[in-house]
Each structure stands twice: as C-alpha cells, then as structure tokens.
C-alpha cells in the first residue's frame, strides 16, 4: 500500500507476525498502536488486534461525533481477521474471543484516558471462559471488571459506587481482601453491578458483545476530551487536535490451565550485563500473581536458578518449546530495538504471547558491558555504544560504594552534602590526634568535626573518611578530602557534636566515640553501623569503551591533581595532562605549615612597611623643599624596619623553596610528556593559621611570641567575605616574593627532571585576575624568574604563563587579558559564585528550596549554568581569541567532570577540561558523546 | 596677512597692544609665544618681543643645523621694532635693552628645555643697568646670572661648578645665604665665572650682545634635542619632529626705583568669589621678594587691606595710574579668557607690564559664585558656567567642615576610611548607653567603637559622629551613619580601643573617655582636640546655578533616603523622588529590633519545617502504597510543629506591620507627587542579632530562652561570605511572610496618605535577583498583596513592581528578568563587588596598593568601573529594553552621586540616578554637564 493511501486508511491490523503499520506511523496509530504493529511486523507474537487511527478520532470530533462512513464495516472485517488468527469467535459461548480496548495517542498521556478490558463477556460467554480456564472465580472476577469498567468509562458512573458494593460484600462474608472473595461472591457482584448500571443509566447493561465493543470504542475516543486529558495537554503545552487512536486487542490469559504461564524476563542480566536472559514465571497464573508474592515465582532458566539459588523448576525445563520461542523473541527484539529489553509474556495454551517490551533498566557495570557487547556483536555501532552509556553513572564504578542491598536495608540517620565521592566505614573520633592514635592501633576511623582546619591534615590523612557538621562544597574538609580522593560528607547540620563529651547527637540519638558510622560521600548519606561495601573495578569492557571514546572526542581531558599519586592515578584513568595543581595543598602539609606560618607572621608587616615606603616616596616627589628632610628621615626609618622584618619572611620562603621544588619534581615525573598547569598560591593567608585557641597557643610558643600577638594577627587578616578578599593574584601583587619562590620552585624542578630525560611541560597559572594590568605585572615578574632559573642552569625548558578566568570582569576584559596570557583556564567554581553572587559554602540554606520550587533545574555548582555563567565563559573565549588566535583555553572548575558541562565546553570551543582523577573517564566519555552529537544525527541509524 | 603666508612667516612680533600671532598659531609659536601674542593682541601690556617659529626649528634640524636664509635680517628688523617700542637700545651702555630667550613648544614640556636671561649685559652695559636701577648689587647679580646661564645652556658647562664658586665666595666672606653677598662679591664672581668659561671652552665669554643673542637662540633650539627633552617626549608619546619656538622678550624690572613695583593679583577673590580684585605687591622690588618673606608685601587695594587687616599703603593709593591700568587689564583678561585670572605684574618706571596670566585657583564656594557671576555678567553662557563647576568640589559645600586653617595647624593623629562625609567634634565615649547619658547631660559626643551593631543605634543617633577601628565602607557604622547623614570615619586601624579601661591608644598616645576628638568623615582624618568648624551654606548663586543645571539635564536625579527627614532634606536639594528606601534601617530602630529578633528566632525553624513538609509531600507523590501511611504520619507531625512555631513568627511580623506602615506614611507624605522606590528587606537575618555576648544575654532573657540557644541560632545563621549569602530575594523566597508584611505596609501606607490627598507613587523593589524565576515568583506574591490591600480599601493607587540589578547574572539574563519588572535599578555597589570579585569591606588591604601601582586609576567603589561593571550595566539596559521598551532604568548605588559615573549613566541611557541627599546637587550638576557635552562642543565658544 502506498504511503498516501496509508494516511487515508482508518483501521490497521497487527498480529500473526505481520502488521499494516509500524513505528513510522505513530501519528496515525499512536504510541501503543505503532509499537504493537512494530513488534508484530518483525515477527514477535503479540496478541492480535487492530488499531483505529487518530484520523478517525479527528473526523469523529469534526463531524459532530459521527464516525466516518464505512468504519463499522471495516472494524467488522478486521475483527474477522483476528477471529481467524486466534481460531476463536467473538461472543462464542464455548470459547469466547475477548478484547481489550485501549487509548493510545501519538504522545504519551499516562493514565489520562480510558481502557475497557474483557469486552465480549456476558452471562453466556462467561461460561465458555470458565470451561477454558477451569477457574470460575477468575472468570466472574473478569466479568465484573468488564461491567465495572464499562459503567465507569462508557457511562461515567462514579467508580466509588462499585467499590462500596465490593466493600459491603467483603464485610458480609468476612473477607479482608479482594482475593478472599469466592467465585460466587463475584458472580453475585456482577449482578449487583448490573443493577447499579440500570439504576444510574436507566438502561440494561448490554449483553451483546458487539454493542460492548462499540460502546468501548466510543468511550475511549470520548476520553480524548475528558477534563483530565484536556488539562494535562494544557499543562504540557500539547495540541488538542491530534486525537487518539483506539487499540482493540485480543485478551490472552496465562491461567487457562497447566499449558499456560505468565512471566517477566530481561534479555540480558541487568545486574552485570552478561549475555544471559534472566527472568521469573509462574505456571497457570495471571501476571499480577508473579509480582504479588502470594506464590513463589520460578526461575526462567538454569542461569537464573543458579544465580538466585532457588531450586525450582524452570520454564526452560517445563515448557521447552515456549522457552525456545521466547529466546528467539529475545534475539529478535534486541536486534530490532538494538537494546537489552525488559519483557512481559504470557503462554496461553502453549502459545507464547509478548504483552510488552521496553528498554531494561540496569546497573552501571551492566550499562557499560551491554553497550560494549552490543557493539562487539555488531548490533550497534561503537558510536552508538558510547552514546548509550550515561557518563554520570560511571562515577559509582570508580569509587568503592556501599553495597546497594545494605543501603536498602538501612536508613540514613542524617544527610549532608556529598562533598567527595566514595563510601567509607569507620569508628567515629572527634580529634585529629586521636584519629592518628587509633589508626596506629590498627583501627579504621571516620573523623567527625564541626569543620576541619589545616591542623587536621594529619587526622584526615589517616581517616577512612571525613564528616563535618558545618561548611559546604568548598570548605576546607571538602576541598582537602577531594584532593586526597577521600570520601567526605560536609555540612551535615543534623550532627550536634560535643567535643568535650566525645559524642554526637543526631535527631535525639547519641553516638559515642568509637561507634561505627558509614558515610556515602556521593549522596551525602550518613548511616549508623558498618554497612557492607563493594570495591571499584575497571573491567576490560570499560577500558575498551574508553578507548573508543578517545577515538571520537576532540576535547582534551586533563586532571586536577596536587600529588604525584593523584597524577599517576589520573594518568591511568586517561588524563592527558594536569589542568590544575593547587600549590596551597602542599602548604598545608604538616611539616611545612610551620614555615608557611612563619612567612605569614611577617608578611602583613612587610606589606605595611612597603606601603608606607611607597607613600613616603610619593610624598618626596611632590614635596616642598622644607619638608624633604623630614620625609627622608621617615623613609630611612621605614627602610630600617623593613630590613629587620624581611629576613624572617625571606627565611621562611627559602625554607619552603626546596620542599615545593620536590613536590613539583614528583608531579612532573609522573606526567612525563604531558603538560602540567601549576596555579600559584590562591587562598587568603588566614586560611593557613590555626582556628582553635589551643593550636594558636602552640604556634605562639613555636615562634616565641604571645598568644595575643597571634590573635591580633588573625584579627588583622580576618575578612568579612574571604571569597572576595585578599587572595589569588592580589596576594601575588602584595607579596611578590611568594610567587617568585613558587615560580623558582617550578622552574628548578623542571630543570632538574629535564636533565634526567623527563619531557617536562610546565604551565604557570596566575589566579583570580580581574584587571589586565594585574596579569601584566605578575607575568613580567614570573617570566623574569623563569628566565633567570634557565640562565642559571643553562638549559632550555619550554614553559607557558597563563591565567585563570574566574571573575565576570575577567570575561568582559578577556581581550586585554589575553595580551598577557598564553592560556586561559576557566575557574568555574568562583565564576559561578561571582556571577550568581552566591557563596557556595552558604548556598545550602536556600538552593535546596530553589530546586524544589523549580527556580533552578540543577545545582549550578554541580552542572555549569549555561545561560548565565556559560554566556560569560563564551564571551571570555571569544574575546580572548580575538587577541590571540592560538590561545589555549581550558576549564579546571569541578564542572570539568560533569557531563552536560563537558558537552558545553566542547561546543564553546575549549581545548580541554580538567577534573578530579576519578572523573577523568566520565569526561572522556562525555567529550566523545559531544563530538558524536556534532558529527551526525544518531537517529539516522 | 593671509593664513598661508603666516604659515611661511619665520618671526612673529608681539607687544605694544598688538601681535602678529595668537592662540590659533600655537603650532608655530608654541604655547608661550602664542599666549604672549594673544595677550598683546587684546591690548594687555606684555614686555614686547618676538617669537622665532617652530618652522625655523624644523628647518634648522633638516638643514644640518643651518638657519633659513634671511633669518638674521628678520631678527635684526624685529629687534629694531622692540627698541623703538621700548625707547631703549640693545647694547646701549647708558640704558641697555635686555632680553630673555626662552623655549616654547606647542605642547607643554615643563622645565625640559633651556632659558637664558639678561642677554645684552657686559662690562659696559652693566653700568647702564646700575645707573637705571641705582642698585649695583642687583645689576652684578643679573650679570653673573647671564654668564652662568649662558655657560650652562650654550656651552654645556656643568652648573655645579658655578655653585661651587658661589659657595666658596660665601665661605670667604662669611655669608650664610646668597642674599648676604654684596655687589662687590657678585662683581668678583662675574670675573670668576668668565674665567671658568674660558677654562672650560677655551674661548672668551662673548661681550658682544648680538653674539650673546644668537648664542642663546641657537642653544634654545638645540635644547629641543637634549637628552632630557627627548626622553620626556618618548615617555609621553610625543612626536620628535614638531620642534620648539624661541621667544626673545624684553626684560623688565620692578626694582629700578621708586616708580617701580612688582606683585601678584587675582581678578576676583578666590576665597569667596566676590567680584573684587585682590593681591599683594612690593614697591621697588623683584618678583621673588614678594614671596620670599624678607619684606612684608603690601595689599593691592583697599578691599585686600580690609580683608587682611594689614594697615599698609596700597598700590591703589601709591600708584593710582598703574593700578587703574591694572584693573583695566583685569577686565580685559577676564573678558578674553572668560575666567578669573591669577596674574604676575611688574611696574617699571611707571609702566605696567603683565608677565603672566593663568586661570586662578579658588575655593569651592568661589568656584560656584564666579561661574554664576560670569554668566550673569554675560561673559560666559550658562552652559559654560555649569561646565566650569567641578561637581566633586560641591561636596564640601554641602556638609559642615573643619575650618581649613585649623586643619593646616593641626596634624591628624590617625586616618581611617572617610565613610560618611561631614566633620564632627565631640568628647569620645566607648559605649552607646554612655553616649546617650552624656548627651542627656548636654555634652557633644563622638561614639568610638571597634564596630557598631544594631544595639548601638541609640548611641549613634545622639552622637555628633562615629569613629570605628574596624570595618569598611559598607560596615554597619558606615551604612547607618550615611543613612543618618552623620559624619563617620570607619576602619581606623591605628586605634587600639580598650573598652574596659575606657581609653584608646593611638600610636603610643593614650586618650581617655571624655577627651575631645575632631573627625573628618570625607577625608577620614582624626584629630585630637576641638578643631574649628565651618557650617554648610547654600548661597543664592548656588541655588540659581542648580536651577540652570535642571534646565539642561535629561537624566533624573533621585535620592536614597530612609526617613522622612532625609527625604525632606533631599527634596530641598532638588531630588525628584526616592530611588532607594532601605527598609532594614527601619528594622534597626530600637523599639522595633525586639520584634525583628522575635521573628528571626522563629524564622529558621519555620523554614526548616517547611522544607521538611515539601520533601514529604514530594515523597508522597511518588510513594509506594506501603509507604504512604508512614509519610502521612510524618507529614502530620511536621504540620503540627509548624502550627506551633508560626504564631511566634507571625505575631512578630504583625507587630512590625503598623510600625513599617507609619514609616512609609511619613516618607510618602514628604515625597508628595514624586515616586518612592522601596526596597524589600535585603540584609541577611544575622545582621539583626547582637554580636556582643552581653546583648545576646539580654535577648535571651527578653524571650525567655537560654544564652546557648541564642548563640546556637547565631551559629546556624552565620555565613562564610555574607555578601554572597542568604539575603535579598533569596530570603524573600524562604520567608514569604516578611515580604508580604512589608508590601502590605507599603500599600496600606499608600492608601492612607492617598486618602488624605497625597499623590503617592510607590515603587516596590525586589533586591538581588539573579534568576528570572525568582522575580516571577516574588512579583506574583507581592502583586497579590497589593491587589488585596487595594481591594480591602476599595481604592486605586498606581504602583510599580521592579527589581535591582546587582549581580552579573542579572545583567546577562536581563531580557527575561524584564518580563517581570516594570523598572530596573542598578545596585552598582554589589555589582562592582561581584564583577570584580572584591569585597568592599576587605578591599582596603590591597586597593590602596593597586592605586599606587597604577593597576586601577580610581577606587571602583567610588567611581563606576566603566570598562567592566559598566559593560555589564549597558548589557542589562539593552537587554531589558529589548523585552520592555518603556522599562524605567535607574541606579541606586553610591556611584549615583559621583560625577564621572553620573555622566556614564546618562550616556548609557538611564532614566535617573539616585544618591544620598547631600549628593543630589552634585548629581544634578554632573547630569547637566553630561547633557551639555552631548549637545554641543564647548570649545566652539
């Protein structure tokens, strides 16, 4: 039949391994109808029937609820074809053919329209059903359902009235549940329902199957314009003139005797992805029996039996022919839908019917394996396989996680912010010292604190995981934990920690030091007790899939790594360089923090004296002759003080130099042949000073000053909004020696490893630039040190100097900034904070509510805000490249490992994304998906 | 002479009330030459002379340092014209004509090129000078200057060598200063200088005046390419091929006898602007005598004598003809230059010569009066008068200020941030309670605190001014003080306040409670003691000038005012409405803070319970049947708790309603007929809670809870970066009742005053919107309350609902935001903070250094950053108006009163600026200047 004539066809047949329509005719057949046709046309045994097209619906409404001419005759003809196929007759008192009548619009409108089942039953034909099923209770129950649904759907009788009658009957006979009612009870109810029908409509319930059929069809077409459906279309902005199709399909039953069965199956194992069908079934049963739990379902086959450990007969053994046919259907469906399927089937008198098929849900490992295997089997292309894998779900495969079953059995006692993924089990301790002691004794601990500080590094380092009651995603705990690759739940406000009593109270429950907790650093859940864990594994299929991803993607993937260990791990995961090495984490390390603090003790004085000196020099330039002498005296005094203060400062920096150098050497060696971007010091100085008085005292003793002096310094350095304070390049401008020391360490390390044959590619990154001149000044200073080191060593090492774009102003002025930068790296964490004017640490108070209210779709700190932050990012890229065409541009915020953000970065023309080691595979896959998207439309397969 | 031939003319004459050139020939005559020509051509008696053009310089260098043909003859001819005019001869031993030879390039190159004075002196002519001046000492001093300068300039002899000879001579005769040397000493030095000349050059010093003249001319042309001049041009990016002109001008002397004098004068009084010339002179003296202080200068006229109180003879009396001529010159100059002039003059043998004229410096009040008067006198247009007034300088006229003399005599003991302009004197107290007590006793106090908090409102209210040791421009002290129009110096780190001892230590000096301090809230200076004050006055001229400004400006000017008093003041200053009423200041008022705090005590619980409720409702929607019961139970429990908590919360809000309403009534009445923009609550809740433990205790007692509970609440509300925290519309979303109460208060107040006949135009402003949906939700809620109130009152009041644009994201998404806003108001304080990523409160640590290093020109919190913040602002305006053409757009950040920012706002198409009352006149003027700029080029006058 030609396409044109199909458009004019009013009724479409399906069944018997054939169909008049298919997926391409969804606009006429609706979703359900076209799926049934599709399955049938590829030879899947669906219960046969026919679909009355949406065109009929449209004409019906256009012609004042009159059906098109000839429809009755056509339906009659198609009904005959079904009778022929099934070998049964509609209205046959011996063995009646029964139908379901269902709506099916081109777009899914779940539950909005009506359905009538068991059409064709009456007092005569029910006897035939009893004979066939040998089950009067089932037969009368089916009959009463028809009467009930027909009354409800066709005549609009209030459904509650039927339920009242059932309830009354249950009371009468002392039955608790519907299933306690007998065949006679149901039979009686059929009578009562019919009486109700008469009462409500003034008409007798139609016994004539044909009358039932047309009543049902008309009711379903009518439901297209019922109140619910109209409202639903309004809410979802759908057109009202599309219409619905009506599907008239043979009813099949799995409870017609011993040669009947019903069950569910997956075409592959959804737990691990193995190419083995699994499933459950029940002989002589209805579909709902399989899930109700009244009877124990049996395993589909030996694979399932072995896996489940249920020593029961299988369909494979009991009904080998049906099973054989089923496995053929599995292949048919997988090949056609190119996906693992989740199927409902019924065997009615030895004949297999597939009631439904849909894409099967699966675990992350199964997702990977199935995508891989389908490609290897030639069912899908590699590109399609890559597209099938959800990058986000890989996360759980890359970290140890709580055993899903254990998670289901236990309820979280509290939920905080999932600040660093992975799960951890340990005994809770509240002090870092204690954590270290306990671990030395061989215990596993979880460090539980209000917040962590640099003084907790030791404890954090030995703990299995970290749990804090305050702070957010960029709190010390969160940042350091992520850096360490250690699970962390932060800002869990429900914890009331009492350090003195060494206990924590959670919703009225008190837990003591030493109690076991389990935390999930991805979901933020906290559990009491020891939950079982599953280890992360990189299967061969996963690795192979990743290599396919690398073939297609254009976007580079680097990692954020602060240690050689992390760098190595990331390289194993496929990182092509380091996009961000944070030098401050090195500062936090225990043996160095003293030197850092010594430097900080002197730094504000040095800065202050220098400012005074500058001011005096300025004064001198414009001074009257009479003032010159006095100014010169003051200047001399200030210079004297500066000379006294500088050594302490410089000495501390000198001590840090070799330590930083060796840090960099390790990282450069691990990244041999790949670029390494090192960010110069970013956080404000006060972050390196102790918060607890006890630690402050220790610091005071160490440097032979008073506690008061330490606290005064802290007060001086304290900031109202540290996020917007004296940090990043602002500090680099104020304290040139710090950046100079770091640059020297980077370049000396480069020279050292290069002389050992390592291919070192250092990229020095200056953070938080907002004003082009900031970068101009610092670039010059940094470059001078680089040149000096290379001159001293008489060696050549290629290096780059660039900057982070993390402020709106930097994006706006990117053209000028690019004059001084060989590369840009977007720091989208800070860019998000400044663009939104939202502190990530404080956002918890309202962002949750925002998501609930639909004010934001996603947490902008998790997925890049493409409309706001993204527009500034694009502006930065465009303007930067206007100045410097070859400008290398990357992103090193945490968005670099989030799939939708990676795709955005690819489209925005970035050269690479950089993310934490564990997210590197996710970014590789997301980048491949983005490239595939661009290259071709996958739907054309 | 035609223009073309002037271009070819090599030498230009000036003097005798005529000149061959003028200001339009600066490219040929240089700056100095064209000015002399200009003055002479309008009849000002300048010492005559001639200018050798820049063209000669260019030809000189092009032709290998050869002068153009005929130059010598022309110079000879012009020299003759000067001789004729002066009635003296060059080289005449009886009465020699003497010349100065000076460089003068088209662009100013101060001090870079050379000068030779007293050209024409030799052993013979010096006798003529002695005869004429009757002053051998002066004559030989002049002679030695010629020899010295000639040797230095023409022959490049090291100037130090001359100085050494002078020093040796002084030692010889026991003289301390040059003025102690006698005529003979100088005569002797002339000989020594000539010997030195011979030694250094091998030539005899030229006695021939003509040789001196050409030597001088050639040396000055030569100095165009001396090292200093070349370098200076390089630094200043000036072309090297422009060349300099050379001015040969008659030397005149004010010390040639009793009929000679020399002096300085202003054409109007620079102190108050009165149309009265003032000045000083000395008879028979040289210019340097007037300023050296060796002789007491005499008043120019009776006006000056009266003003200065010096009972000395005046030029007016002593040399009436010269004085008469001088006053004519004043008129001539003012009419020509259209400005008050600062003049140097000399009377040589009764003949008046003007040596120099330039625009005179003046005080702010004089600036206003002179601009006004010049316009009234018809010398300049009103537009030009407006353009003449520097808006910034008006600030000091609008506040009481420290008497400038007192300020000069006293040195500041410390300097903080000038946080709220105006000056204040008072006895220092450290506690607000005490401040109130002292004021009750009739004392004037300055409140001195580390920082202020809402608990200090009482003390701040009675204090003359506020001084804090911590905090910046947006600290509580600064913001509240500005709101109160009270002087404030904030963040004065040099103060070490000891509350217990009731004293403050500043740089080692200890001041006790009760000691007097004077503060300058504009400059940030702090003085010990009571300094004299001058009161602010708005003179008639000032008012009139402002009315002219209003005629030209297109930009509206509103005010930021939180009280009826401020509103009235601003209206007096010409505000055309209120652009920002901050409702939080009303919250801080003493009698209300309790209600505010009661609300806050409950608010987080209410929010928390609501979040729980929402989460449970969400769960319920997707729950399995088996879970429903449990969820419903939990839901019931939460709803129960919410019902318990809400009354405390709602009760506090109910108590605040009438108070807020009456606030608004007062403001609306004061602004009858003008729009009033009210911003709904903006600061985070924790700002309203007490910081000091003592106050916390009081709060706990007041509400019958424990101190621990108060502190726990504070900890819960505490934020890492409050600037980026839970504030503005985010709070409005979390706590709908607060905005609803405020909206109700605004609309009820509107209805109440409208019924009294007041024309009320409320504009409700929702702060800190970054996401269009935030505004959509809040606008709907606010609008509903407005409608409700109007319905209840059965009245019509036009109101507007709009938003503040103060986040980069809001600018980027302005098109969508405008869908829900009838107006935009840019909050450029916060927009600057977020665009730069700089917290204003913390910026002090590095912005000062940034200015010193030239990283920024101006503090971006004082003058709008046009390149960065400005670009986002423009984006916001454009995108907003794309959606809503008639969108009203203003600015209410503190930039609204800063002239360059006002101009930017005008150009960016804003409808109005809004600033503090005292800055309204500044904004009016700046807006007028911007409009004038646009309308015509002022240089075409």
């Amino acid at each position: 039949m030609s396409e044109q004539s199909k458009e004019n066809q009013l009724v479409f047949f399906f069944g018997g391994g054939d169909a008049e329509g298919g997926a391409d005719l969804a606009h006429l057949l609706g979703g359900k109808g076209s799926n049934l046709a599709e399955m049938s046309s590829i030879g899947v045994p669906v219960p046969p029937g026919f679909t009355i097209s949406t065109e009929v619906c449209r004409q019906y409404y256009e012609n004042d609820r009159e059906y098109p001419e000839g429809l009755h005759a056509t339906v009659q003809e198609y009904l005959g074809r079904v009778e022929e196929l099934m070998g049964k007759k509609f209205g046959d008192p011996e063995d009646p053919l029964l139908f379901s009548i269902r709506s099916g619009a081109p777009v899914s409108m779940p539950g909005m329209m009506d359905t009538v089942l068991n059409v064709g039953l009456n007092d005569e034909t029910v006897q035939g059903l009893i004979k066939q099923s040998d089950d009067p209770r089932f037969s009368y129950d089916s009959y009463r359902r028809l009467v009930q649904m027909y009354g409800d759907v066709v005549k609009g009788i209030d459904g509650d009235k039927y339920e009242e009658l059932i309830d009354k009957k249950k009371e009468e006979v002392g039955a608790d549940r519907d299933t306690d009612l007998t065949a006679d009870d149901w039979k009686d109810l059929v009578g009562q329902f019919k009486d109700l029908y008469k009462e409500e409509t003034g008409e007798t319930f139609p016994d004539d199957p044909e009358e039932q059929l047309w009543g049902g069809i008309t009711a379903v077409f009518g439901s297209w314009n019922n109140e619910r459906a109209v409202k639903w279309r309004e809410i979802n902005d759908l057109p009202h003139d599309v219409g619905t199709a009506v599907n008239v399909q043979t009813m099949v039953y799995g409870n017609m005797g011993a040669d009947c069965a019903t069950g569910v199956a997956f075409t592959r194992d959804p737990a691990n992805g193995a190419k083995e069908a699994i499933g459950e079934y029940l002989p002589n049963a209805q579909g709902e029996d399989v899930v109700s739990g009244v009877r124990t379902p049996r395993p589909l086959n030996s694979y399932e039996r072995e896996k489940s450990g249920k020593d029961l007969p299988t369909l494979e053994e009991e009904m080998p022919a049906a099973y054989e046919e089923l496995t053929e259907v599995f292949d048919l469906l997988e090949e056609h839908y190119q996906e693992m399927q989740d199927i409902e089937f019924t065997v009615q008198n030895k004949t297999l019917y597939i009631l439904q098929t849909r894409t099967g849900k699966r675990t992350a490992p199964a997702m990977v394996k199935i995508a891989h295997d389908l490609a290897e089997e030639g069912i899908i292309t590699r590109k399609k396989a890559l597209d099938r894998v959800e990058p986000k779900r890989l996360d759980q495969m890359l970290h140890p996680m709580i055993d899903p079953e254990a998670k289901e059995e236990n309820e979280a006692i509290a939920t905080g912010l999932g600040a660093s993924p992975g799960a951890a089990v340990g005994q809770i301790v509240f002090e870092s010292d204690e954590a270290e002691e306990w671990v030395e004794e061989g215990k596993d601990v979880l460090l539980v604190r209000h917040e962590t500080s640099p003084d907790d590094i030791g404890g954090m380092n030995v703990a299995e995981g970290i749990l804090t009651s305050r702070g957010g995603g960029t709190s010390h705990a969160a940042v350091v934990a992520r850096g360490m690759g250690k699970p962390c739940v932060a800002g869990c406000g429900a914890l009331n920690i009492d350090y003195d009593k060494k206990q924590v109270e959670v919703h009225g429950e008190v837990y003591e030091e030493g109690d076991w907790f389990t935390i999930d650093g991805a979901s933020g859940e906290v559990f009491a007790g020891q939950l079982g864990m599953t280890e992360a594994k990189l299967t061969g299929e996963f690795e192979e899939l990743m290599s396919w991803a690398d073939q297609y993607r254009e976007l580079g993937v680097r990692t954020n790594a602060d240690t050689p260990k992390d760098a190595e791990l990331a390289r194993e995961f496929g990182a092509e360089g380091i996009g961000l090495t944070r030098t401050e984490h090195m500062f936090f390390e225990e043996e160095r923090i003293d030197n850092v603090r010594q430097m900080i003790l002197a730094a504000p004085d040095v800065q202050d004296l220098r400012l005074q000196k500058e001011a005096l020099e300025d004064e001198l330039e414009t001074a009257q002759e009479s003032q010159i002498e006095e100014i010169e005296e003051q200047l001399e005094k200030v210079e004297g003080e500066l000379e006294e203060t500088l050594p302490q400062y410089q000495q501390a920096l000198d001590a840090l130099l070799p330590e930083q150098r060796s840090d960099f050497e390790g990282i450069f060696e691990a990244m041999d042949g790949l670029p390494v971007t090192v960010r110069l010091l970013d956080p404000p100085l006060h972050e390196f000073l102790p918060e607890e008085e006890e630690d402050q005292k220790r610091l005071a003793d160490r440097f032979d000053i008073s506690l008061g002096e330490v606290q005064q310094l802290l007060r001086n350095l304290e900031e109202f909004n540290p996020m917007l304070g004296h940090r990043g390049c602002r500090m680099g401008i104020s304290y040139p020696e710090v950046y100079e020391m770091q640059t020297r360490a980077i370049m000396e390390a480069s020279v050292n490893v290069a002389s050992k044959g390592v291919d070192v590619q250092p990229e020095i990154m200056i953070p938080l630039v907002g004003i082009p001149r900031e970068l101009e000044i610092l670039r010059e200073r940094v470059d001078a040190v680089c040149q000096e080191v290379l001159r001293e060593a008489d060696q050549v090492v290629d290096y780059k100097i660039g900057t982070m774009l993390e402020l709106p102003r930097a994006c706006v002025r990117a053209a000028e900034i690019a004059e001084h930068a060989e590369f840009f790296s977007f720091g989208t964490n800070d860019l998000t904070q400044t663009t939104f004017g939202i502190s990530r640490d404080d956002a918890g108070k309202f962002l949750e509510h925002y998501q609930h209210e639909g004010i934001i779709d996603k947490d902008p700190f998790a997925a890049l805000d493409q409309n706001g932050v993204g527009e500034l990012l694009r502006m930065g890229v465009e303007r930067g490249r206007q100045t410097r065409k070859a400008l290398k541009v990357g992103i090193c915020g945490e968005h670099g490992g989030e799939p939708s953000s990676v795709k955005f970065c690819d489209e925005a023309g970035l050269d690479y994304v950089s993310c934490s080691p564990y997210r590197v595979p996710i970014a590789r896959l997301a980048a491949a998906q983005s490239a595939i998207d661009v290259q071709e439309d996958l739907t054309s397969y």
Side-chain angles (χ1 to χ4, degrees), chain A residues 609 634-645:
Chain A
L609 289 166
Q634 288 175 10
L635 198 55
E636 218 165 288
K637 195 179 141 221
V638 167
E639 284 170 341
E641 285 176 44
L642 199 53
E643 250 169 70
E644 269 176 50
T645 315

Side-chain angles (χ1 to χ4, degrees), chain A residues 68-193:
Chain A
E69 240 186 74
L71 183 70
H72 278 78
T74 313
V75 166
Q76 204 57 42
E77 178 202 330
Y78 277 66
L79 201 145
R81 284 172 71 176
V82 176
E83 288 179 331
E84 201 173 316
L85 249 176
M86 293 299 293
K88 295 189 181 199
K89 288 273 174 200
F90 189 47
D92 183 349
E94 287 300 308
D95 183 9
L97 184 63
L98 302 177
F99 286 110
S100 66
I101 303 174
R102 288 187 172 94
S103 67
V107 286
S108 167
M109 293 171 62
M112 290 301 131
M113 290 182 296
D114 295 326
T115 294
V116 188
L117 299 178
N118 305 325
V119 170
L121 278 181
N122 54 29
D123 291 346
E124 284 183 358
T125 55
V126 76
Q127 297 307 324
L129 188 60
I130 292 168
K131 198 178 289 172
Q132 295 299 326
S133 67
D134 199 17
D135 188 344
R137 192 195 163 283
F138 153 73
S139 300
Y140 279 109
D141 185 15
S142 300
Y143 191 7
R144 71 93 190 173
R145 279 178 205 262
L146 167 67
V147 180
Q148 182 175 353
M149 288 170 111
Y150 194 91
D152 178 357
V153 169
V154 182
K155 294 295 173 183
I157 300 169
D158 186 354
D160 289 346
K161 296 193 171 161
Y162 296 102
E163 294 301 329
E164 277 166 29
L165 292 173
I166 296 173
D167 287 346
K168 224 170 84 186
K169 170 62 77 184
K170 283 196 284 191
E171 219 169 295
E172 243 174 66
V173 302
D176 274 348
R177 290 181 296 179
D178 284 9
T179 47
D180 297 335
L181 294 176
T182 64
D184 282 341
D185 295 333
W186 286 122
K187 188 178 173 187
D188 189 31
L189 279 168
V190 168
Q192 290 185 27
F193 283 9

Side-chain angles (χ1 to χ4, degrees), chain A residues 224-396:
Chain A
W224 171 253
N225 274 336
N226 73 24
E227 211 177 307
R228 280 195 308 169
V230 170
K231 194 160 178 193
W232 200 87
R233 287 198 298 273
E234 275 168 6
I235 290 169
N236 291 279
D237 239 354
L238 295 171
H240 293 300
D241 59 357
V242 172
T244 183
V246 171
N247 298 291
V248 178
Q249 190 179 19
T250 306
M251 297 284 304
V252 295
Y253 301 97
N255 57 345
M256 294 284 207
D259 58 353
C260 295
T262 192
V264 294
F266 285 86
T267 56
R268 295 180 190 230
D269 189 336
N272 57 25
K275 190 169 162 47
E276 297 280 0
I278 72 164
E280 296 178 320
Y281 83 104
L282 274 174
N284 198 14
Q286 281 183 278
E288 57 199 63
D289 299 332
V290 180
V291 291
S292 72
V294 174
R295 290 165 62 188
T296 304
R298 300 178 179 180
L300 191 69
N301 50 20
S302 55
Y303 177 78
E304 168 84 15
R305 178 162 59 195
E306 208 160 304
K307 222 186 147 186
S308 66
K310 285 181 197 156
D311 194 16
L312 290 168
T314 65
L315 188 72
E316 197 175 8
E317 295 161 352
E318 300 288 309
M319 294 185 179
Y323 182 76
E324 176 67 24
E325 201 185 341
L326 191 58
T327 57
E328 278 160 25
V329 167
F330 290 164
D331 291 343
L332 216 53
L333 287 172
E334 279 204 345
E335 198 159 328
H336 184 71
Y337 289 106
Q338 305 181 345
E339 250 298 16
M340 185 265 268
Q341 296 290 302
D342 170 0
I343 290 159
E344 290 174 27
F345 66 89
T346 283
V347 181
Q348 176 176 293
N349 309 124
K350 293 201 174 118
T351 306
L352 174 73
Y353 292 104
I354 305 299
L355 303 182
Q356 182 171 295
T357 188
R358 57 186 171 194
T359 299
K361 293 200 192 309
R362 66 207 74 180
T363 64
M367 168 184 72
V368 169
K369 179 161 169 58
I370 290 170
H372 170 269
D373 289 356
L374 287 174
E376 289 294 89
E377 292 160 24
I379 293 173
I380 59 174
T381 63
R382 288 182 173 182
K383 284 184 183 176
K384 198 151 189 170
L386 288 168
D387 193 60
R388 284 279 171 77
V389 179
E390 291 169 61
K392 271 187 191 168
R393 296 188 63 198
L394 296 183
D395 205 22
Q396 52 170 285

Side-chain angles (χ1 to χ4, degrees), chain A residues 338 381 384 932 935-941:
Chain A
Q338 305 181 345
T381 63
K384 198 151 189 170
I932 292 170
Q935 286 167 11
E936 60 194 303
D937 184 1
L938 280 167
T939 60
S940 68
Y941 265 76

